[in-house]
Amino acid sequence: MRLTRRAAAAAATVLAVTLGAGALTAPATAADAATGAATQEGVTRMSLNYVVDEAGSTGFFDSLWFNEGVRAWTSYTDGRSYSLSRYAKSVSVVGGDQFVDSETDTVINMATGARYQLPTSNNWEIGIAGPYVFTTLSPASGVTLWAHTAQGSRQITGLPAGAKSVSVRPGTARYAVIAFTDADGGRHQGLVDLAAGKVTEVYAVPASASSFTFSDTRVAWAERDDASGTARAVVLTRGTDERKTVDLGTMPRTAEVQLVGDWLLDGLPLREGRDLTPGYGLRARNLADGSAPVKLLDYFQTMTRDTGGGVLASGGRLGKGEGVHRIERGADGRPTVTLVASNGSPAETAEMREPLMRNPVDLDRESSVSFHWYVNHWDTKATVRLRHVRTGKTYDWASDGYGGGRRMDGNNNDYGDGFSMGPGDWVGTFGTQDESAPGTTIAYNGAYTWEFTAESLAGLGPAVKRSGTFTVVRSPKQHDFDDNGSPDILARDASGVLRSDTSVRSRRWSALTEFEVPETTIGGGWQIYDRIETVGNVAGSVHADVIARDKAGVLWLYQGDGNGGFAGRVQVGGGWQTYDRITGGSDFTGDGRADVVAVDKAGDLWLYKATGSATKPFDTRKKVSSGWGGYDQLTATGNIAGAAHGDLVTRDANGVMWMFLGKGDGTFTEPTRLREGFGRYSKFIGAGDYDDDGRNDLLAVEAATGKTYLFQGTGARTTPFERARIGTALFSSGSYDLFG
């Protein structure tokens, strides 16, 4: 419909007055905000992802194709879409240019702004056609059918006795389409003569029938044989016994059909990518001469009768865009296709906006991160690969086009920017989107590349391919040797081979989850040491380091390389055989660097303050206190009781655990008795935040079984650890000597 500039301005004025102040200037939702003046003469601009529902004389009702509850009315006159949520809280039925607010039983005409109330009784709305709103007395039992306008109500005659589950939808200016079931459950479709107020034609249809349609001379519907998948259209000549069947081929679902003059329109709506076969589109067949079908649209989503005798169809043509098309009989009798409302999207699969990426990705601050790529069609096979540059390890995500993408824009609304494809909740792992699958490991820090591919399952143009980069960062961790933010525990086997193992506990899900990561071999020759200790970053790199004492009492430094291994050893100094116990990895002095403490054979505690230098990693030792000879375990745990400084836990000969709170100056408070019963453990390990809950924990190796258990930190001053222990899978494949 095309109006002069003056007529369009007058119509806009009427709408502004009748629909309320601001109706044309203050968009209430994205359905309004995304639309504006016509993009070209005679072509209205509509919202992306909206499809036509019902057509009227001055506009059409459209809705999100995946959520019919989000509806709008698009005007031919001023080229705008008006969200129905502005005028009603709940919409029951739409048709022509009218809809019913079911909460107030108010009929609202979007073309004129007129409103009227339905009767308080007999108001079960079942459809709108022409100027009438149709209601019944009961939705389930035998019904009486009524038609209402602002001027009054009338009963529709001709409905067979016992009819139930009645619905009405628009047809032409003269006829409405009615559907109902009889007392035996049989399905029927027919026509209502609007002027006469009477059901004039009724046709029995099978259970598989869909999209009943009619023209001046014919009625038609589509059927499908579920066993063979064969689809067909049944065409009847009105007023005669003539019946014709048109073979539509094999289809995964029942086709939809419409009639335009002597032409039958048929096709398979683009709805579910997993059962869509490319090439269907929307076709037209000449019923008079039986000639080969003509493709009208490369794909369509919905179609409905136009009140002028044509059809409105939402879909697209490759190279010509996407939107609502009017299909009508041309001067030569052949169907013509005209774009009447564009949503601004190409018909081909396309990226609709810049991807939503986070860079850098800080996995300390966030337990998961969202990556989104926006495409115009949900029926899209999408794949994403995140690749760690240094190691080549990957995370792979894939969607089959139905249910894999999320329908939202940048503000998390269900409209606007297309369909969001991608790992919306990447939790920082290698593997696939199934985090429970074998082989899942924690992702490393560092540089990554990403690759995104979107391919239409309906054959709509070439695949879309995009790529880029991002960086994953985490703060350095005391026991993190491979730079993935998770604690790694070291152990040596009987032959002197050093290995690391990560059995990561995570609270990224509602329950405590464990990744059982395969053990990593670091190297052999470690049997020359009688003490190996993880001490955090003491030599200036960002990665955790290890000190090892040989049997002559010489201490050696191994700087972590961030790849799970160590640089060549550097001699620290001799005389370390005087110490019975050594521990490190906690900042005892408040300077931000991890320090080392040791207890000598006389029971004195000595502090070795870290320097950050690889050639001289520790300052001259400083005596802290005496009386530590009664403890056979000494473990640096970091902050476990709520203060900002590193703490120590010990165990006495009776198996009682004690805690010494760090003061931040290299000294400690008097001991606090924690609990008894720890004599069964041969080794304590302060592994930092092992369960990913923000609090430091304690690992303990059971002497009798060699199994390692987790005692979760609470952060509480008097009870820093949970009483119940939790088993881990650390070094479960063999016999090892674990180190702190």
Side-chain angles (χ1 to χ4, degrees):
M1 183 176 192
R2 191 176 301 172
L3 299 183
T4 64
R5 197 172 287 179
R6 178 176 298 176
T13 301
V14 170
L15 281 168
V17 172
T18 58
L19 297 182
L24 297 180
T25 59
T29 70
D32 295 333
T35 59
T39 55
Q40 63 191 67
E41 187 179 14
V43 178
T44 296
R45 178 63 186 271
M46 65 184 296
S47 297
L48 184 67
N49 295 327
Y50 279 65
V51 294
V52 63
D53 287 336
E54 299 290 356
S57 58
T58 62
F60 59 86
F61 287 97
D62 49 333
S63 65
L64 280 170
W65 71 265
F66 45 78
N67 185 356
E68 293 181 353
V70 181
R71 277 177 156 155
W73 180 75
T74 299
S75 169
Y76 299 135
T77 305
D78 65 2
R80 287 183 60 87
S81 290
Y82 299 89
S83 172
L84 299 190
S85 63
R86 174 182 296 179
Y87 312 106
K89 292 183 178 180
S90 179
V91 177
S92 58
V93 292
V94 300
D97 298 316
Q98 302 182 102
F99 74 93
V100 177
D101 178 354
S102 60
E103 286 199 0
T104 61
D105 293 325
T106 302
V107 181
I108 301 173
N109 190 309
M110 293 299 292
T112 66
R115 298 168 178 251
Y116 70 90
Q117 292 292 124
L118 289 173
T120 55
S121 61
N122 184 25
N123 62 350
W124 191 278
E125 304 95 14
I126 62 168
I128 297 176
Y132 300 102
V133 176
F134 289 84
T135 67
T136 65
L137 289 173
S138 168
S141 61
V143 297
T144 301
L145 184 62
W146 290 80
H148 310 272
T149 66
Q151 288 70 43
S153 304
R154 64 188 297 194
Q155 184 175 349
I156 302 299
T157 63
L159 187 65
K164 56 186 178 181
S165 302
V166 181
S167 64
V168 176
R169 67 179 190 273
T172 63
R174 180 178 177 183
Y175 290 101
V177 176
I178 189 169
F180 61 90
T181 59
D182 58 30
D184 297 325
R187 296 183 60 198
H188 301 270
Q189 299 264 18
L191 302 179
V192 179
D193 187 317
L194 296 176
K198 183 178 181 180
V199 178
T200 57
E201 299 176 40
V202 174
Y203 302 87
V205 297
S208 65
S210 70
S211 57
F212 181 88
T213 184
F214 69 98
S215 66
D216 291 341
T217 58
R218 299 179 176 90
V219 297
W221 63 83
E223 300 176 356
R224 179 178 177 273
D225 182 86
D226 290 338
S228 64
T230 302
R232 56 188 172 269
V234 177
V235 183
L236 307 179
T237 302
R238 294 172 63 181
T240 73
D241 293 331
E242 184 179 351
R243 178 187 179 100
K244 182 177 183 178
T245 300
V246 180
D247 183 11
L248 303 180
T250 301
M251 292 185 178
R253 287 176 280 116
T254 304
E256 292 191 11
V257 296
Q258 287 288 351
L259 289 168
V260 175
D262 289 331
W263 293 78
L264 175 73
L265 277 54
D266 72 270
L268 195 64
L270 180 67
R271 289 178 183 163
E272 299 183 3
R274 60 185 173 185
D275 65 4
L276 179 69
T277 302
Y280 280 110
L282 183 62
R283 304 169 291 194
R285 305 166 186 265
N286 192 307
L287 295 171
D289 62 20
S291 56
V294 177
K295 180 174 283 190
L296 302 178
L297 298 176
D298 289 295
Y299 63 92
F300 81 102
Q301 293 166 293
T302 61
M303 60 178 173
T304 187
R305 294 198 62 86
D306 188 349
T307 55
V311 168
L312 285 188
S314 294
R317 290 186 288 174
L318 298 180
K320 296 184 179 180
E322 181 179 87
V324 173
H325 300 76
R326 178 178 286 112
I327 302 169
E328 56 192 345
R329 185 165 46 184
D332 60 356
R334 297 174 61 84
T336 62
V337 181
T338 305
L339 181 66
V340 296
S342 170
N343 63 18
S345 169
E348 298 82 1
T349 296
E351 192 175 30
M352 298 305 293
R353 54 160 282 188
E354 289 295 315
L356 178 62
M357 304 289 297
R358 194 75 53 85
N359 191 21
V361 173
D362 188 341
L363 291 177
D364 281 335
R365 295 171 60 91
E366 299 177 273
S367 60
S368 64
V369 63
S370 295
F371 294 121
H372 296 288
W373 289 263
Y374 297 89
V375 296
N376 54 341
H377 298 143
W378 200 21
D379 291 82
T380 301
K381 178 182 179 181
T383 60
V384 174
R385 167 162 286 189
L386 311 180
R387 179 180 179 274
H388 187 238
V389 173
R390 176 173 60 84
T391 64
K393 290 182 176 293
T394 62
Y395 171 86
D396 293 287
W397 177 94
S399 164
D400 65 357
Y402 183 71
R406 295 198 295 181
R407 305 158 290 203
M408 63 176 65
D409 65 8
N411 296 318
N412 292 331
N413 296 315
D414 280 341
Y415 37 70
D417 289 341
F419 297 105
S420 167
M421 299 286 182
D425 295 302
W426 183 55
V427 297
T429 59
F430 294 127
T432 66
Q433 61 257 52
D434 180 6
E435 288 91 9
S436 64
T440 297
T441 58
I442 306 299
Y444 301 126
N445 295 329
Y448 284 74
T449 62
W450 59 261
E451 298 175 356
F452 171 74
T453 302
E455 184 178 2
S456 171
L457 291 168
L460 303 177
V464 173
K465 296 185 178 182
R466 299 288 184 266
S467 61
T469 61
F470 67 98
T471 302
V472 169
V473 296
R474 301 180 183 90
S475 62
K477 305 296 192 301
Q478 170 189 345
H479 272 263
D480 182 15
F481 297 111
D482 55 7
D483 201 27
N484 67 355
S486 61
D488 304 306
I489 309 303
L490 300 180
R492 180 182 60 193
D493 66 18
S495 66
V497 174
L498 189 69
R499 292 181 170 86
S500 69
D501 195 3
T502 301
S503 182
V504 177
R505 295 276 177 172
S506 176
R507 291 186 183 273
R508 288 171 177 151
W509 296 269
S510 58
L512 194 62
T513 304
E514 183 174 30
F515 292 112
E516 296 186 12
V517 182
E519 299 165 11
T520 300
T521 299
I522 296 174
W526 292 77
Q527 70 273 14
I528 66 173
Y529 301 112
D530 63 8
R531 186 73 187 185
I532 300 172
E533 203 56 48
T534 298
V535 293
N537 169 25
V538 298
S541 71
V542 297
H543 307 298
D545 305 323
V546 162
I547 56 173
R549 183 182 66 188
D550 65 23
K551 296 174 182 178
V554 177
L555 193 71
W556 301 85
L557 169 70
Y558 286 84
Q559 279 191 278
D561 61 10
N563 298 330
F566 303 97
R569 69 178 187 171
V570 174
Q571 183 173 325
V572 176
W576 286 74
Q577 70 273 15
T578 189
Y579 299 114
D580 287 335
R581 291 170 296 285
I582 303 171
T583 189
S586 297
D587 178 14
F588 300 122
T589 58
D591 62 357
R593 288 191 291 268
D595 307 304
V596 168
V597 292
V599 176
D600 64 18
K601 297 184 187 313
D604 296 330
L605 182 70
W606 298 85
L607 169 70
Y608 285 85
K609 182 179 179 180
T611 65
S613 168
T615 57
K616 186 185 177 183
F618 304 111
D619 272 343
T620 302
R621 71 176 186 168
K622 177 182 177 182
K623 184 176 178 179
V624 176
S625 61
S626 302
W628 294 73
Y631 304 111
D632 61 4
Q633 288 286 338
L634 179 72
T635 304
T637 60
N639 165 29
I640 58 171
H645 312 299
D647 305 321
L648 293 172
V649 295
T650 64
R651 183 187 64 187
D652 64 23
N654 296 318
V656 177
M657 180 188 290
W658 299 81
M659 176 178 65
F660 293 80
L661 295 180
K663 296 180 180 180
D665 60 359
T667 65
F668 301 89
T669 64
E670 291 299 313
T672 300
R673 180 187 173 101
L674 296 182
R675 49 197 291 194
E676 66 284 338
F678 274 76
R680 65 196 296 185
Y681 300 105
S682 62
K683 183 73 177 178
F684 295 161
I685 303 170
D689 183 11
Y690 190 81
D691 60 5
D692 194 33
D693 67 350
R695 295 185 291 267
N696 289 328
D697 309 302
L698 183 71
L699 294 172
V701 182
E702 190 174 54
T705 63
K707 293 182 179 180
T708 304
Y709 292 90
L710 168 67
F711 290 88
Q712 295 174 275
T714 66
R717 171 69 173 81
T718 56
T719 56
F721 302 113
E722 298 284 0
R723 295 200 63 84
R725 67 180 187 174
I726 300 174
T728 76
L730 286 167
F731 293 104
S732 57
S733 62
S735 178
Y736 300 93
D737 182 13
L738 271 66
F739 300 105

